[in-house]
Amino acid sequence: FGRAHRLELALFVDDEIYVENKIHDDGFYDKWFGNPTHEVADLSDTLAREPTKFIVIGSPEELDRLRPEVERQFSGALQIMRSHRLFLEGLPLGVTKGTALSWLAERLGVDRSETMAIGDSDNDEAMIEWAGMGVAMGNAFASVKSVARYVAPGIEEDGAAEAIERFCLGGKG
């Protein structure tokens, strides 16, 4: 699928990234992912294990156009979501930041009502919905804002800091 559409497709295996059609430089990968990145000639011949997720890197317009096709292609096998305006992500079904937050809270003995989650993209939606205090950034996708209990100012206005001050540190925000 990636080859047929000439996509910059990054496959994540554990904490390493494998890319067959690498368009962006190492600095881009370091900035956004911080994981060791390997440019390979053929992904299907390189990976020793199944990837844990994929990310298609592209312009917001390209990813908006491509998303319905990716969803049709992988329906029932993967959940497809935007993790950033530049990224279209594919994850195993049922794996979300929400399930991760639930798991962590249970392990730490923290009640759901005592949790807070802040986010702005599709991949944050389940986490914000699960948290006792779900906060969407002012610049968040509309679907994320719709499940949030509070919408903070945008990232440029220090919205995350405002939400932490208001809900965790007892300030007025």
Side-chain angles (χ1 to χ4, degrees):
F1 185 87
R3 282 186 201 129
H5 290 82
R6 297 183 186 162
L7 301 175
E8 184 170 11
L9 175 66
L11 298 181
F12 287 65
V13 178
D14 297 322
D15 292 327
E16 300 195 29
I17 301 170
Y18 296 85
V19 183
E20 186 176 294
N21 180 29
K22 189 174 177 203
I23 297 169
H24 290 85
D25 64 17
D26 289 340
F28 176 89
Y29 280 85
D30 288 342
K31 173 186 173 184
W32 288 104
F33 307 117
N35 299 70
T37 303
H38 311 281
E39 187 171 8
V40 299
D42 187 337
L43 285 168
S44 59
D45 288 342
T46 303
L47 303 180
R49 295 175 10 133
E50 288 290 315
T52 53
K53 70 177 179 179
F54 74 75
I55 292 182
V56 175
I57 302 166
S59 71
E61 300 77 22
E62 175 185 27
L63 297 177
D64 286 344
R65 180 182 46 75
L66 187 63
R67 183 177 183 165
E69 188 173 348
V70 173
E71 288 174 335
R72 276 191 300 277
Q73 178 76 27
F74 298 101
S75 174
L78 296 170
Q79 57 187 345
I80 308 301
M81 62 185 66
R82 292 292 283 276
S83 55
H84 183 273
R85 63 183 186 84
L86 302 175
F87 308 134
L88 182 63
E89 191 167 325
L91 295 165
L93 296 173
V95 175
T96 69
K97 289 182 180 182
T99 57
L101 181 56
S102 172
W103 179 90
L104 182 61
E106 182 180 329
R107 297 307 176 284
L108 296 175
V110 175
D111 188 78
R112 179 180 186 172
S113 66
E114 297 295 317
T115 64
M116 182 169 87
I118 303 172
D120 61 1
S121 297
D122 285 346
N123 65 333
D124 299 319
E125 189 174 325
M127 171 183 70
I128 289 169
E129 190 170 26
W130 187 88
M133 175 51 69
V135 178
M137 297 297 292
N139 55 297
F141 295 169
S143 61
V144 176
K145 289 179 180 179
S146 74
V147 300
R149 290 188 56 205
Y150 178 73
V151 177
I155 195 163
E156 300 82 19
E157 299 137 283
D158 298 325
E162 187 270 345
I164 292 168
E165 171 70 25
R166 177 179 291 222
F167 299 111
C168 298
L169 302 177
K172 302 220 182 207

